[in-house]
Amino acid sequence: MGIKSAGIDERALLLGESHSLAGIITTPAPEAFDTALPALVILNAGLVHRVGPNRMHVKVSRRLAERGFVSVRFDFSGIGESLPRPDHLPYTQSAVLEVKEVMDTVTELTGI
């Protein structure tokens, strides 16, 4: 179940291979949805969880959706509501893997 506002849809998801990364996908209204546009992945700002500093990532996601873009914001493992990684990979390796997993999930959900 998502939040619909001004024609956009926001849904909470568990992302990644292990479904342990908490995220929100924001999509435009159906009439504005365009798979020719890229989807955007908004990354954590340091240790701040997916809403971003002063909820900046929420505002950016909604503005992008108003312009037809899909975006996803998520918490890296061990940040916010995302579970810690059981394999204890260093951040420099786990972050790259997690971004790729999130991108793959967005592709599966949207075709982008």
Side-chain angles (χ1 to χ4, degrees):
M1 177 154 189
I3 297 171
K4 291 190 181 222
S5 168
I8 64 171
D9 183 42
E10 293 185 303
R11 286 184 292 143
L13 301 170
L14 291 174
L15 305 159
E17 245 178 58
S18 63
H19 303 285
S20 63
L21 303 173
I24 305 287
I25 187 165
T26 306
T27 54
E31 64 274 6
F33 193 95
D34 184 355
T35 57
L37 294 174
L40 296 120
V41 178
I42 301 172
L43 305 177
N44 294 95
L47 294 176
V48 178
H49 72 300
R50 68 184 172 277
V51 300
N54 300 310
R55 296 182 52 81
M56 178 178 68
H57 296 166
V58 175
K59 296 171 189 173
V60 167
S61 293
R62 291 174 181 170
R63 287 283 178 100
L64 287 167
E66 290 170 358
R67 289 160 178 77
F69 291 90
V70 170
S71 66
V72 65
R73 56 193 190 273
F74 74 100
D75 295 332
F76 282 110
S77 57
I79 297 177
E81 297 175 71
S82 291
L83 299 174
R85 290 184 70 88
D87 58 13
H88 305 292
L89 279 177
Y91 177 77
T92 54
Q93 293 175 1
S94 66
V96 174
L97 291 174
E98 291 171 5
V99 170
K100 183 186 179 318
E101 289 175 3
V102 168
M103 291 168 61
D104 291 344
T105 302
V106 170
T107 299
E108 289 172 19
L109 293 173
T110 67
I112 298 173

